[in-house]
């Protein structure tokens, strides 16, 4: 790898680190824009089996009390995500932003799974 390539990669990494916190708010604000990619397909059962999440439904299907505190032993499995996320008070991310933030952060932390737009929003999905 050339010195120039390493320098560019370092600059890109630093830029992403600095702007990473702003990503969620920019993403949430842009969700009303027309879609340029197809919706992502999500095979719930296969994903949970692969990620070994069978007993951890509340990880994604979370509930909060009236004060905004997470209810760790409660699950929202019977409620559509959009019921809370698209009708939510200020500070609760819209559905698309919640998916992007939750899924991408998990995939990054376990170093497995798609993290780029085209990996989830593929033009030709099975």
């Amino acid at each position: 790898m050339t010195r120039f390539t390493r320098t560019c990669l370092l600059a890109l990494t630093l830029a992403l680190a600095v702007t990473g916190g702003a990503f969620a708010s920019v993403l949430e604000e842009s969700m009303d824009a027309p879609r340029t990619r197809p919706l992502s397909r999500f095979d719930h059962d296969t994903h949970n089996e692969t990620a070994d999440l069978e007993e951890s439904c509340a990880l994604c299907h979370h509930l909060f009390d009236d004060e905004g505190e997470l209810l760790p032993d409660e699950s929202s499995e019977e409620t559509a995500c959009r019921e809370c996320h698209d009708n939510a008070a200020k500070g609760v991310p819209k559905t698309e932003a919640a998916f992007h933030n939750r899924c991408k952060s998990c995939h990054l932390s376990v170093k497995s799974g798609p993290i780029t737009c085209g990996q989830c929003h593929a033009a030709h999905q099975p």
Side-chain angles (χ1 to χ4, degrees):
M1 185 180 301
T2 68
R3 177 183 245 170
F4 177 76
T5 303
R6 281 194 305 262
T7 303
C8 288
L9 286 173
L10 178 61
L12 178 61
T13 302
L14 290 172
L16 288 173
V18 170
T19 61
F23 176 74
S25 62
V26 170
L27 180 61
E28 187 171 337
E29 291 169 4
S30 68
M31 286 294 99
D32 293 330
R35 296 193 189 283
T36 57
R37 293 185 178 271
L39 291 175
S40 174
R41 287 201 173 179
F42 180 76
D43 184 342
H44 192 261
D45 292 334
T46 301
H47 182 270
N48 287 344
E49 290 167 14
T50 302
D52 195 24
L53 297 175
E54 295 297 323
E55 302 298 320
S56 305
C57 298
L59 182 65
C60 295
H61 295 280
H62 47 259
L63 282 176
F64 295 87
D65 64 17
D66 292 337
E67 287 78 40
E69 296 294 319
L70 178 66
L71 300 170
D73 298 326
E74 300 290 326
S75 174
S76 64
E77 291 172 74
E78 301 301 318
T79 306
C81 301
R82 292 189 182 280
E83 284 189 38
C84 294
H85 284 278
D86 283 356
N87 297 314
K90 185 175 180 160
V92 177
K94 295 285 189 185
T95 303
E96 291 85 357
F99 285 157
H100 286 143
N101 296 336
R102 175 76 53 163
C103 299
K104 187 173 180 179
S105 66
C106 183
H107 291 171
L108 287 169
S109 71
V110 299
K111 296 179 174 64
S112 179
I115 57 170
T116 65
C117 301
Q119 289 173 315
C120 290
H121 300 277
H124 303 288
Q125 299 181 37

